[in-house]
Amino acid sequence: NAGVMQNPRHLVRRRGQEARLRCSPMKGHSHVYWYRQLPEEGLKFMVYLQKENIIDESGMPKERFSAEFPKEGPSILRIQQVVRGDSAAYFCASSPLLAGRNTGELFFGEGSRLTVL
Amino acid sequence: DAKTTQPTSMDCAEGRAANLPCNHSTISGNEYVYWYRQIHSQGPQYIIHGLKNNETNEMASLIITEDRKSSTLILPHATLRDTAVYYCLSNTGNQFYFGTGTSLTVIP
């Protein structure tokens, strides 16, 4: 059973460009979380999605950031018009449901490291 | 925001037990306590979680005080590969707040 797959692992963008980060959850997992980690800091929650639904996006910046988890295909975190402050590691995690409840056991990918020049 | 507080850093001798404390005096009665660790810049790894009772698995033991205001993660025989940042967290609704964790260094 493959783990959570994130790509690209490393992405370099110039200011003003768009960044798209992809996350394929573990097989059978219907929940996806995105976290951002700035250098030397802890992980900050961004968004929580189920298939075709955004459940909680309270950690997402109001502008330029969006996330989706379509019925088919990976979850995508999209950052438009990137700025240097967006340089960070972006981690995706997936989680199964057990008896209708999120178990809280998150399986993380290895992250996508965005560098904005 | 995180409901847990942890020491910033700790050292532990190789082969000894590493005891990592966490205060969570404000979590509610139905909130679980989770522990994760992050080795270098890899993705965080789930370790263990519990509600009221002590828990043990192949990686660690979790001791939760009776009043649930604090807990301790125990790595029974620390190895150099256990050097990592250890996060104690609870969840509020759908969010899992990681805080800044405890940086554990296992010393040879």
Side-chain angles (χ1 to χ4, degrees):
Chain A
N1 188 11
V4 176
M5 303 300 292
Q6 289 189 249
N7 67 83
R9 293 291 307 278
H10 300 275
L11 182 63
V12 179
R13 285 288 179 265
R14 296 190 180 278
R15 282 179 294 169
Q17 291 183 319
E18 179 180 288
R20 284 192 181 220
L21 310 177
R22 289 175 291 277
C23 170
S24 296
M26 287 183 70
K27 186 176 180 180
H29 288 191
S30 56
H31 300 247
V32 167
Y33 295 77
W34 284 94
Y35 285 82
R36 176 165 64 175
Q37 187 171 36
L38 296 171
E40 308 302 323
E41 295 188 12
L43 288 88
K44 300 295 185 186
F45 167 81
M46 298 182 75
V47 63
Y48 166 47
L49 311 101
Q50 294 179 17
K51 283 283 188 180
E52 300 184 278
N53 287 307
I54 296 175
I55 306 302
D56 185 342
E57 56 180 348
S58 58
M60 289 275 274
K62 293 288 186 269
E63 297 178 348
R64 302 188 298 109
F65 285 73
S66 62
E68 63 177 6
F69 189 13
K71 186 177 180 180
E72 301 291 338
S75 175
I76 295 176
L77 179 67
R78 182 184 179 201
I79 311 172
Q80 296 177 287
Q81 299 173 351
V82 296
V83 301
R84 288 213 174 107
D86 296 332
S87 295
Y90 291 84
F91 289 97
C92 169
S94 72
S95 178
L97 266 182
L98 184 64
R101 180 183 176 276
N102 190 331
T103 64
E105 186 175 343
L106 304 181
F107 294 82
F108 281 84
E110 290 304 313
S112 292
R113 280 151 185 83
L114 173 65
T115 300
V116 180
L117 301 178
Chain B
D1 291 318
K3 293 184 177 180
T4 62
T5 56
Q6 300 174 253
T8 303
S9 63
M10 290 181 64
D11 292 339
C12 177
E14 187 179 17
R16 298 282 192 173
N19 298 292
L20 294 101
C22 178
N23 288 320
H24 37 78
S25 57
T26 60
I27 66 170
S28 63
N30 61 349
E31 286 184 71
Y32 284 75
V33 176
Y34 302 87
W35 283 84
Y36 284 76
R37 73 180 183 183
Q38 188 175 25
I39 297 174
H40 192 44
S41 55
Q42 297 177 18
Q45 176 189 24
Y46 165 83
I47 301 174
I48 199 168
H49 74 281
L51 182 63
K52 295 180 181 177
N53 300 320
N54 298 336
E55 302 287 344
T56 295
N57 62 21
E58 64 278 5
M59 289 182 68
S61 294
L62 175 60
I63 308 298
I64 303 174
T65 58
E66 195 168 337
D67 62 10
R68 295 205 347 115
K69 291 186 176 182
S70 65
S71 62
T72 301
L73 179 75
I74 302 173
L75 308 177
H77 305 287
T79 70
L80 298 179
R81 284 181 288 186
D82 291 322
T83 292
V85 178
Y86 287 77
Y87 296 98
C88 165
L89 54 150
S90 63
N91 71 305
T92 302
N94 302 310
Q95 300 186 21
F96 294 83
Y97 291 100
F98 275 77
T100 53
T102 296
S103 178
L104 174 70
T105 301
V106 180
I107 302 169

